[in-house]
Amino acid sequence: MFRPVVITPIVCALAAGAAAVSFARGSWLGVVWLLLAGLTSNMALSYARRARSAARAGAVGAAGACAGGGAAGGACGTCVKKVCA
């Protein structure tokens, strides 16, 4: 099964193409295709943003753990830029 991150840009491109063809033929049905293209572009951006933030959160969780201590160490997994004492 495909992920929505992959499918939504494809559907957006197809809907934009269908809108262009509909308008070229003089049909007002292109308005519906244009609205569908706008909806799927927003969905694609949302899915991509969610995947990017999940990947970033996974990287912080894996690399941000302090080796030497709890709250007295300083960073304790919340900041990967600080060095734990």
Side-chain angles (χ1 to χ4, degrees):
M1 187 159 95
F2 290 107
R3 294 176 38 189
V5 175
V6 177
I7 290 180
T8 51
I10 295 170
V11 174
C12 180
L14 290 175
V21 170
S22 293
F23 284 132
R25 291 185 177 181
S27 173
W28 285 97
L29 189 62
V31 173
V32 175
W33 289 112
L34 195 61
L35 290 173
L36 182 64
L39 175 70
T40 55
S41 70
N42 286 339
M43 289 173 59
L45 289 174
S46 174
Y47 286 134
R49 191 177 304 130
R50 185 180 305 163
R52 194 174 338 133
S53 68
R56 193 177 306 143
V60 169
C66 288
C76 293
T78 58
C79 180
V80 294
K81 294 180 182 179
K82 293 182 179 180
V83 178
C84 295

